Amino acid sequence: MHNLQLWIFIFLFLSGCGKGFKKDSTSLETTRPEISPDLYTINQDYLIRLNQHRNSRGLRPLVYNSSIEEEALKHSRSMALYTTSFGHIGFGRRCKRIQTKLGPISGCGEVVAMGQKTAFLALKSWLNSDGHRKEIENPDYTHTAIALYRSQNGTPYWTQIFIEK
């Protein structure tokens, strides 16, 4: 069953479409035309809600980046498949891989969640936690992405990574 889910995910990932996010002036890649409609929609809807929250706090909006999403997805998948513990193990390596792809970054942060059925519920739970809210409201961050991977029993694992570029 697990292999079937993985193949479905790969098929959807490779056959997806989308208009992408608005590009910013830093020339980092901000579109993702090959993303599956579901993951694209999750990121786009989440980014709107996240930036509404940040705007209400007088913070600049964050810009989506597909390289960040790739690292977030790898971590969500590792947690969902139990190849790593739930948490932030390997966080430094994820930040280094992002830096290798995007060039120098000044900061990197991460939040993870397990069990929330939607990205909005994950955001809500993070905002109810002082440490997680501090990451989300960090005024220095410029780019982000969120990823979801479901375990074999359907439990959602969320990872959001932030960078300062």
Side-chain angles (χ1 to χ4, degrees), residues 5 39 42 72-73 75-82 84-87 111-123 125-126 146-160:
Q5 289 174 331
L39 195 50
I42 288 170
L73 182 59
H75 187 53
S76 288
R77 181 177 35 241
S78 291
M79 291 186 296
L81 298 177
Y82 310 112
T84 190
S85 300
F86 175 76
V111 292
V112 295
M114 174 182 65
Q116 293 81 354
K117 294 183 190 258
T118 67
F120 175 70
L121 291 174
L123 177 61
S125 101
W126 287 326
I146 189 171
L148 160 69
Y149 197 91
R150 293 185 188 280
S151 68
Q152 195 169 21
N153 68 5
T155 302
Y157 285 79
W158 300 93
T159 303
Q160 182 176 8

Side-chain angles (χ1 to χ4, degrees), residues 8-9 18 61 65 70 82 95 104 109 112 142 148-149 151 156 158 162:
I8 290 171
F9 172 78
N65 182 273
E70 289 172 19
Y82 310 112
C95 293
V112 295
T142 56
L148 160 69
Y149 197 91
S151 68
W158 300 93
F162 309 87

Side-chain angles (χ1 to χ4, degrees), residues 132-152:
H132 295 97
R133 187 176 58 252
K134 185 177 177 182
E135 286 295 321
I136 288 169
E137 295 177 353
N138 183 323
D140 298 325
Y141 291 145
T142 56
H143 294 78
T144 193
I146 189 171
L148 160 69
Y149 197 91
R150 293 185 188 280
S151 68
Q152 195 169 21

Side-chain angles (χ1 to χ4, degrees), residues 1 9 19 23 33 57 73 81 96 102 115 127 129 158:
M1 182 66 174
F9 172 78
K19 293 182 181 178
K23 290 191 176 189
R57 302 294 189 269
L73 182 59
L81 298 177
K96 285 181 183 181
L102 302 181
L127 292 175
S129 162
W158 300 93

